[in-house]
Amino acid sequence: MSELPAGRHFFRDDVGYEEARAATVWNARTPQRCPDVVVQATETADVVATVRYAQRHGLKIGVRSGGHSWAGNHVRDGGVLLDVSRLDGCAIDASSRTAVVGPGMGGSVLAGRLAAQDLFFPAGHCQGVCIGGYLLQGGYGWNSRVLGPACESVLGLDVVTADGQCLHIDRDNHADLYWAARGAGPGFFAVVTAFHLELYPRPPVCGSSLYVYPIELADEIYPWARSISADVDRRVELQIVASRAVPGAGLDTPGIVMASPVFADSEAEAAAALSLLETCPARERALVAVPYAPADLDTWYAGVMSNYPSGYRYATDNMWTSASADDLMPGIARILETMPPHPAHFLWLNWGPSPQRQDMAYSLEDDIYLALYGVWRDAADDGEYAGWARTNMAQMEHLQTGVQLADENLGERPAPFASPEAMARLDRVRADYDPDGRFHSWMGRP
Ligand SMILES: Cc1cc2nc3c(=O)[nH]c(=O)nc-3n(C[C@H](O)[C@H](O)[C@H](O)COP(=O)(O)OP(=O)(O)OC[C@H]3O[C@@H](n4cnc5c(N)ncnc54)[C@H](O)[C@@H]3O)c2cc1C
């Protein structure tokens, strides 16, 4: 007897092991790493039993919620891989504007349920990403420039600690662990079984602008985007995506898409908030120009997901920066020149300047976020495309403040993701709550 949940654990020689292991990773590039046993929890008691099992047998633990870690962080050699994707309950209390949500709940599913009650949460921009990994790392979602990284809306968490205890943690209970849970990301050292969330009223108006430019105009577009970055209304998410084709706009040559969601109290306010984007010096040469149109979550998700098809192989890397356009442009030119075919893409996200954040492990961000998504279908192309994101970011490393854990590639390119003070405190809190190192840490750290 293994004391693990009956019928829901798979040792390496068991039928179903490989299926259970591979199912924990959304990226078609499933890591070659093999845990000793994969456990699928369906309730908190399974989590407690698994943690105690690992403790008794001296095994390390990796935890998976939605499996959207690009690097498959939770899949390590040896130890236990604990899959909590089935902990996906959701209780919404509209009167107190709070919800208790399991880590296996998809962010887009949560957003849909809230919208039905005229409520809102800064859930991620993509379908499939679950709130477990998303909230631990920060969480850059709808209207996050106003509401903050989503972890600022985590009021408390239910966790199982390294010694198998069930705790509720918040600002008054185990405050250190609560501090760590909002930003430790894939290095968190307990299992989250539920998040207690603060909700918001649904913004009366959601809309967006859309511009598509030929990629030859990059030398005008990015310096302009940098020059207006501090003035972009915080209700506007200015995202600039470059790729070798824009099928949605009927473009089979390289293009730059500027799709910017906006949240406001009225259509007039929304259009006014977006009007700065009309000042692009290349505006008259836009292939598509829609200064404002109403939109809804379903339309947005469909648009975003066209860049992230499932069944493809992904390799990502990223950086935060406040560098000038002059300093950034040589690196951007290299990114565009070396970019693999669509749907590989380069994202420029206008984020800062940010307000003072809560006191939490999440402690590093900057004005501009650059992320590279290598996307291809055939394993035979791994050698050609898998290094594109990392190599280009490494060449621009002198311009980076640090990286986001959302698109982390720490195993291949360790880089700062929290302030030095936060890193030191994370180490101290880990030593208190996980003295034996039961939970895997980040795959790399600076
Ligand atoms: C297509 C796609 C789109 C994305 N879009 C966005 C976006 O718009 N905004 C954004 O901020 N991020 C985005 N991301 C990044 C995403 O938020 C992170 O990869 C996040 O970690 C995924 O959460 P998950 O639960 O699905 O993944 P998982 O792979 O299950 O979790 C990631 C890591 O978090 C830890 N973890 C997960 N669950 C638990 C738990 N219950 N207890 C303890 N530790 C746990 C583990 O270390 C795990 O390896 C996107 C990723 C993809 C693949």
Side-chain angles (χ1 to χ4, degrees):
M1 288 290 287
S2 71
E3 316 108 336
L4 291 169
R8 292 211 165 267
H9 64 268
F10 304 88
F11 287 95
R12 286 191 67 162
D13 292 333
D14 290 346
V15 173
Y17 169 87
E18 182 48 26
E19 198 182 329
R21 185 188 79 94
T24 67
V25 186
W26 176 78
N27 186 349
R29 269 176 96 209
T30 311
Q32 295 305 303
R33 305 179 291 267
C34 290
D36 295 326
V37 58
V38 181
V39 181
Q40 298 169 340
T42 56
E43 54 185 358
T44 299
D46 295 342
V47 175
V48 173
T50 304
V51 171
R52 294 208 165 130
Y53 173 88
Q55 194 184 24
R56 270 196 303 280
H57 295 269
L59 299 173
K60 280 190 172 283
I61 303 170
V63 189
R64 178 260 184 169
S65 289
H68 275 58
S69 156
W70 304 99
N73 169 75
H74 44 280
V75 185
R76 305 289 182 98
D77 281 323
V80 179
L81 169 47
L82 177 56
D83 182 343
V84 296
S85 58
R86 291 161 186 79
L87 303 187
D88 60 355
C90 174
I92 298 168
D93 182 346
S95 60
S96 65
R97 287 218 296 261
T98 57
V100 182
V101 188
M105 162 69 65
S108 62
V109 180
L110 175 63
R113 291 201 189 163
L114 293 175
Q117 300 192 39
D118 264 339
L119 293 168
F120 188 86
F121 185 77
H125 298 102
C126 296
Q127 287 162 320
V129 171
C130 286
I131 67 160
Y134 173 78
L135 291 175
L136 287 171
Q137 52 91 11
Y140 308 88
W142 304 116
N143 214 11
S144 263
R145 291 190 73 227
V146 170
L147 297 174
C151 62
E152 287 200 301
S153 300
V154 174
L155 301 169
L157 305 91
D158 298 334
V159 301
V160 177
T161 52
D163 56 1
Q165 273 194 76
C166 294
L167 300 179
H168 176 75
I169 62 173
D170 58 24
R171 66 171 61 182
D172 300 320
N173 300 287
H174 301 273
D176 266 357
L177 194 56
Y178 172 63
W179 172 90
R182 293 169 304 140
F188 188 53
F189 30 88
V191 186
V192 182
T193 55
F195 292 88
H196 297 246
L197 304 179
E198 178 174 9
L199 308 175
Y200 303 90
R202 183 152 73 125
V205 169
C206 306
S208 70
S209 61
L210 175 70
Y211 300 90
V212 180
Y213 292 98
I215 212 159
E216 292 73 28
L217 302 178
D219 284 349
E220 294 177 61
I221 289 171
Y222 291 105
W224 162 78
R226 185 70 189 97
S227 72
I228 62 160
S229 62
D231 300 321
V232 176
D233 192 302
R234 293 202 68 81
R235 295 167 297 178
V236 172
E237 297 178 21
L238 170 55
Q239 306 190 19
I240 307 178
V241 173
S243 62
R244 291 220 171 273
V246 189
L251 190 67
D252 60 4
T253 53
I256 297 177
V257 178
M258 221 178 276
S260 306
V262 61
F263 301 83
D265 289 336
S266 69
E267 295 222 320
E269 270 185 26
L274 287 168
S275 61
L276 184 61
L277 307 189
E278 282 281 291
T279 65
C280 177
R283 168 68 179 81
E284 295 312 315
R285 285 161 285 163
L287 305 171
V288 174
V290 181
Y292 171 76
D296 58 24
L297 274 180
D298 288 344
T299 314
W300 277 335
Y301 279 125
V304 175
M305 290 315 289
S306 65
N307 285 324
Y308 304 98
S310 54
Y312 278 69
R313 306 172 78 75
Y314 287 83
T316 61
D317 210 329
N318 74 86
M319 63 187 260
W320 286 115
T321 186
S322 56
S324 69
D326 282 351
D327 287 341
L328 290 169
M329 279 318 287
I332 290 178
R334 205 161 39 229
I335 288 169
L336 299 180
E337 270 162 36
T338 55
M339 189 157 57
H342 178 82
H345 60 278
F346 160 46
L347 167 71
W348 165 299
L349 173 70
N350 189 72
W351 180 252
S354 296
Q356 178 71 40
R357 299 292 182 207
Q358 294 173 19
D359 181 21
M360 54 187 177
Y362 176 96
S363 49
L364 196 157
E365 58 187 8
D366 211 334
D367 293 342
I368 304 292
Y369 179 62
L370 306 180
L372 301 185
Y373 304 88
V375 193
W376 66 103
R377 192 187 272 283
D378 192 344
D381 292 329
D382 283 9
E384 194 172 351
Y385 300 139
W388 173 67
R390 189 196 59 75
T391 307
N392 276 286
M393 288 292 91
Q395 284 176 339
M396 295 173 75
E397 217 160 54
H398 59 292
L399 303 174
Q400 85 178 8
T401 322
V403 297
Q404 260 190 23
L405 288 175
D407 298 324
E408 59 95 3
N409 188 23
L410 295 173
E412 296 190 341
R413 193 176 73 85
F417 50 83
S419 69
E421 298 74 30
M423 284 306 285
R425 186 169 170 191
L426 275 168
D427 287 340
R428 287 197 302 274
V429 183
R430 183 193 301 276
D432 284 347
Y433 282 90
D434 185 13
D436 300 324
R438 185 69 51 224
F439 292 98
H440 287 295
S441 183
W442 307 281
M443 287 205 283
R445 58 185 289 175

